Amino acid sequence: AAADAAAAEEGEPEGSQNLEDLESTGRLYITNLPYGASEDEVRAHFETLGEVDSVVVCKDEDNLKSRGFGYVTYVFPECAVRALSELDLKSFQGRLLRLCAAKQKPDKPEKAEPKAKGGTSSYKRRLEERKKKVDAHLEHTWNLLYVSASSAADAASAQLGVAKSQLFGKDAENAAVTATLTETSIIQQT
C-alpha cells in the first residue's frame, strides 16, 4: 500500500507497474475460479478475446482438486490487457472472476535427482522415503552379518580347539570349500 501511495504521489497512476508487467508477459492471475472448472473450459472462456498460449488451474498436490485460482497466458500481450479490462468481475460458471496481471512464470531450478515415478504428491514422497529407510536398514543389517574369511577361520578354529593351520594348511583338501563352510557356520551362529 505504501508503494502504491508513493507511486501515486509521483504522478504515476496506481497499478501502472502491473499493467507494464501484463504488457510484457501477457500473463493473467485469475482468482475465484469455480472448483469444478477444467483447464479446457477456462481456455474456451478466455479465447474469446485472443489466442491463449497456456492455461494452468492450480490444484492441491495431495488430492488434485482445484484450489480456485490459476493463470492464463496469451500469445499476444495486447489480448491479455483487453481480457483484464473486459473479463474482470465478469461471471464464469456462476462465479465472478477476479483478474490481475501476473509476473513472468519463474524458471524451475534443475534438480539433481529425478522425480519419483508416477508423480510428486506428498503421499508418494513419504512412501518413497519410508521405502528408502527400510532398504537402508536391510542393507545395513546385511553388512553387519558380513564376516571375512580370516575372522571366520579364527572363530571356527577357536570353537573346534584346533589351530588355524590345521584347517587350512598346505595339506588340507579343498581350502576354499572349508573357508566357505566356516563363514556360513559363523554367520548362522550370529
Side-chain angles (χ1 to χ4, degrees), residues 54-135:
S54 67
V55 174
V56 176
V57 173
C58 296
K59 297 179 180 180
D60 187 288
E61 66 180 35
D62 290 330
N63 58 21
L64 299 178
K65 291 184 181 177
S66 172
R67 294 175 64 193
F69 67 93
Y71 297 91
V72 171
T73 306
Y74 280 92
V75 174
F76 302 107
E78 303 81 37
C79 297
V81 173
R82 191 167 140 221
L84 178 63
S85 65
E86 293 185 23
L87 296 177
D88 190 27
L89 293 175
K90 297 296 183 210
S91 179
F92 173 66
Q93 295 183 358
R95 298 187 74 158
L96 294 179
L97 296 182
R98 291 288 302 163
L99 307 176
C100 62
K103 293 183 179 175
Q104 184 64 34
K105 184 176 182 179
D107 294 331
K108 291 184 180 180
E110 291 189 30
K111 295 183 180 181
E113 294 182 18
K115 291 184 180 179
K117 186 168 90 175
T120 59
S121 76
S122 60
Y123 175 73
K124 288 181 181 179
R125 281 192 300 266
R126 285 193 303 268
L127 280 179
E128 189 66 30
E129 289 170 8
R130 194 174 302 145
K131 183 180 178 201
K132 284 181 182 179
K133 285 180 184 177
V134 168
D135 289 347

Side-chain angles (χ1 to χ4, degrees), residues 3-188:
D4 291 338
E9 286 176 11
E10 294 175 7
E12 249 184 75
E14 188 176 284
S16 66
Q17 180 62 40
N18 288 341
L19 192 57
E20 289 174 13
D21 286 344
L22 186 60
E23 289 172 346
S24 65
T25 64
R27 191 165 192 244
L28 291 169
Y29 173 66
I30 307 151
T31 57
N32 204 30
L33 274 173
Y35 292 104
S38 70
E39 290 181 357
D40 291 334
E41 293 169 334
V42 173
R43 178 183 296 272
H45 182 70
F46 281 88
E47 277 186 337
T48 59
L49 297 173
E51 187 178 349
V52 174
D53 181 41
S54 67
V55 174
V56 176
V57 173
C58 296
K59 297 179 180 180
D60 187 288
E61 66 180 35
D62 290 330
N63 58 21
L64 299 178
K65 291 184 181 177
S66 172
R67 294 175 64 193
F69 67 93
Y71 297 91
V72 171
T73 306
Y74 280 92
V75 174
F76 302 107
E78 303 81 37
C79 297
V81 173
R82 191 167 140 221
L84 178 63
S85 65
E86 293 185 23
L87 296 177
D88 190 27
L89 293 175
K90 297 296 183 210
S91 179
F92 173 66
Q93 295 183 358
R95 298 187 74 158
L96 294 179
L97 296 182
R98 291 288 302 163
L99 307 176
C100 62
K103 293 183 179 175
Q104 184 64 34
K105 184 176 182 179
D107 294 331
K108 291 184 180 180
E110 291 189 30
K111 295 183 180 181
E113 294 182 18
K115 291 184 180 179
K117 186 168 90 175
T120 59
S121 76
S122 60
Y123 175 73
K124 288 181 181 179
R125 281 192 300 266
R126 285 193 303 268
L127 280 179
E128 189 66 30
E129 289 170 8
R130 194 174 302 145
K131 183 180 178 201
K132 284 181 182 179
K133 285 180 184 177
V134 168
D135 289 347
H137 177 70
L138 291 175
E139 184 177 324
H140 183 68
T141 303
W142 183 88
N143 286 339
L144 288 175
L145 294 177
Y146 174 76
V147 177
S148 70
S150 178
S151 299
D154 288 339
S157 65
Q159 284 179 351
L160 296 173
V162 295
K164 191 173 168 182
S165 61
Q166 288 177 330
L167 289 175
F168 301 102
K170 316 189 239 191
D171 299 333
E173 288 184 23
N174 298 327
V177 172
T178 306
T180 303
L181 291 173
T182 56
E183 287 175 36
T184 304
S185 174
I186 298 301
I187 289 174
Q188 286 178 345

